[in-house]
Amino acid sequence: MTTELLAPLDLAFWHLESTAHPLHLGALAHFGPVPAPPGAEPADVLELLARRAAAVPRLRMRVRDVLIPVGGAAWSADPDFDMRRHVREITLPGADFPAETARLAAELMERPVERGLPPWEMYLLSGAPDGSFAVLVKLHHALADGMRAVAIGAGIFDEIAAGRRPPRRSRPLPPHSPSSGLPGPGRLLGIARDRLGDLGRAVEVGASVVRASRLDGRPTAALAAHSSGTRRIATATLSLDRVHRVRRATGGTANDVLLAVVAGALRRWFDGRGLPLPGADPRALVPVSRRRPGAPPGPGNSLSGYLLDLPVTEPDPAARLAAVRRAMDRNKAAGPFRGAGAVALLADRLPPLAHRFGAPFASGAARLLFDLLVTQVPLPRSALSLGGAPLRALFPMAPLARGQSLAVAMSPYDGRVHIGLVADGAAVPDLDALADALTAELDLLDPPERGEEPGA
């Protein structure tokens, strides 16, 4: 793979990171035991992980500074790439393996990835009495958004690895081919028209950002935090069939239902803490992919977003869902390229030097726009496995913005919605209570039928 400049949004994520605010995505995948025969020890799974990760070209790339453009950076192959620096095994006490994996995953998610190396890590977590295991994946946000992370991480699964074609050997193109001269007049006119359009969209989004900024201290106090540098992780699993049952009865989308569940869970969590409801509904940033459906994921980040006031002050669950659906319908009517939620588009219009020196000022701006992140990460619909061990659950994990204490990520897979909650460990010590509240809120929208487990 040749040297490739970081796209502006990727560069922004690279410079926004700090020791207390690592900007990597994560996923905690739980697998059943490797079937017998032939059987396999954890070391076999570790070797399989390392071999398959090494076959993903993107995972051999590191970030280095460049002279031109000033302030820019580029992806280039790590000449000293060593898989042992990235793929490791940790054996846990087997008495309460799921709880131990969540605890250790939180500790590992606290630590930024090493910036001089390709910015990712994988951990095989073993030690369960029944031979099941877990895999924690960390990818820096500069390397991938949610969809790109899925495309990269999917390479470890049996089904994707088996269908991967070996890369074709071809002669690299020269840095400047004969056809790369100055564009003709027609092309120059098109470039100018595109730049004017970009500028117009940037001005429109910038104005929306200013209007939406909460300079009056509106951010919800319980969801704001002076970062402790610690992380806490909790997980929840909901029945996808029941989510769709609510959707069919009420209209809208499954994502509307899940956002309403999050709103209701926050209301229940405030009440359980003995806190008064906030004076204004907390605002969520709901990321939206700018990639076309069915198109290859491509390199780097391609994101926009919607801003959504989660109706936690509304006491009726059905009314909460209706409010979410109306707000999301308005967002979709405006589109992902308009409104303050499209703030990521501004990063694409800034020069590299602005990202390098503006990061200290921009890093705290998130709290002026939203209180928490709520995102959905799609997974392949087919059943997945690793070394023959079936994937039982995959909990995605999103990074925390500076000044915020909670991020919620959701992935539907195998008839269930797996929800990963990431919180500042000091600000939200009772994160498990919020995870339990998600199950209780789905039960309010869709009371379990005879024989159904609550939430699941």
Side-chain angles (χ1 to χ4, degrees), residues 85-109:
R85 295 175 173 175
H86 299 272
V87 181
R88 305 179 182 94
E89 180 187 0
I90 300 176
T91 302
L92 297 170
D96 191 358
F97 187 73
E100 286 297 317
T101 58
R103 179 196 60 78
L104 180 60
E107 292 182 7
L108 295 173
M109 288 295 287

Side-chain angles (χ1 to χ4, degrees), residues 17-303:
E17 181 176 66
S18 68
T19 302
H21 297 89
L23 277 180
H24 48 255
L25 311 173
L28 181 62
H30 287 271
F31 295 88
V34 175
E41 296 297 324
D44 297 322
V45 176
L46 183 69
E47 192 276 333
L48 186 63
L49 268 178
R51 187 171 70 248
R52 289 181 177 171
V56 179
R58 198 68 171 174
L59 296 183
R60 292 176 169 269
M61 307 293 283
R62 65 175 181 175
V63 176
R64 62 175 182 84
D65 292 337
V66 295
L67 294 176
I68 300 176
V70 177
W75 295 105
S76 62
D78 182 0
D80 301 314
F81 182 75
D82 185 350
M83 186 57 66
R84 292 171 297 181
R85 295 175 173 175
H86 299 272
V87 181
R88 305 179 182 94
E89 180 187 0
I90 300 176
T91 302
L92 297 170
D96 191 358
F97 187 73
E100 286 297 317
T101 58
R103 179 196 60 78
L104 180 60
E107 292 182 7
L108 295 173
M109 288 295 287
E110 291 175 8
R111 308 172 189 172
V113 295
E114 191 170 341
R115 292 173 74 88
L117 302 174
W120 64 275
E121 299 168 0
M122 287 187 191
Y123 294 88
L124 170 64
L125 309 180
S126 60
D130 65 351
S132 60
F133 60 93
V135 175
L136 175 68
V137 180
K138 293 168 56 177
L139 296 171
H140 197 284
H141 212 333
L143 181 64
D145 55 24
M147 290 187 68
R148 179 63 180 168
V150 170
I152 292 174
I156 72 171
F157 294 115
D158 299 336
E159 295 74 15
I160 285 83
R164 183 191 289 136
R165 296 181 179 179
R168 294 185 301 173
R169 293 185 178 180
S170 58
R171 182 180 302 172
L173 292 174
H176 300 283
S177 63
S179 60
S180 61
L182 292 174
R187 177 60 179 149
L188 282 173
L189 182 61
I191 292 174
R193 188 184 300 116
D194 291 344
R195 292 294 180 268
L196 287 174
D198 288 347
L199 178 61
R201 283 192 292 272
V203 170
E204 182 178 359
V205 172
S208 298
V209 168
V210 172
R211 288 194 298 269
S213 297
R214 298 169 302 181
L215 302 177
D216 57 355
R218 184 186 170 201
T220 305
L223 298 175
H226 296 289
S227 176
S228 67
T230 63
R231 292 293 180 267
R232 189 173 293 273
I233 288 173
T235 62
T237 302
L238 304 180
S239 165
L240 186 56
D241 287 342
R242 292 181 60 198
V243 170
H244 282 298
R245 199 157 68 199
V246 176
R247 174 191 60 79
R248 288 191 295 268
T250 61
T253 68
N255 197 45
D256 294 341
V257 177
L258 292 170
L259 289 168
V261 166
V262 172
L266 285 171
R267 179 185 175 88
R268 184 179 294 264
W269 179 65
F270 278 116
D271 184 63
R273 277 186 150 198
L275 297 174
L277 291 176
D281 288 326
R283 181 178 292 169
L285 174 65
V286 182
V288 178
S289 175
R290 291 159 51 197
R291 305 185 194 278
R292 295 180 180 178
N301 289 268
S302 185
L303 290 172

Side-chain angles (χ1 to χ4, degrees), residues 323-349:
V324 166
R325 187 170 64 246
R326 289 192 300 269
M328 288 302 288
D329 285 346
R330 288 194 297 269
N331 276 325
K332 293 169 189 174
F337 296 95
R338 296 177 181 272
V343 64
L345 300 180
L346 293 178
D348 284 335
R349 275 75 183 177

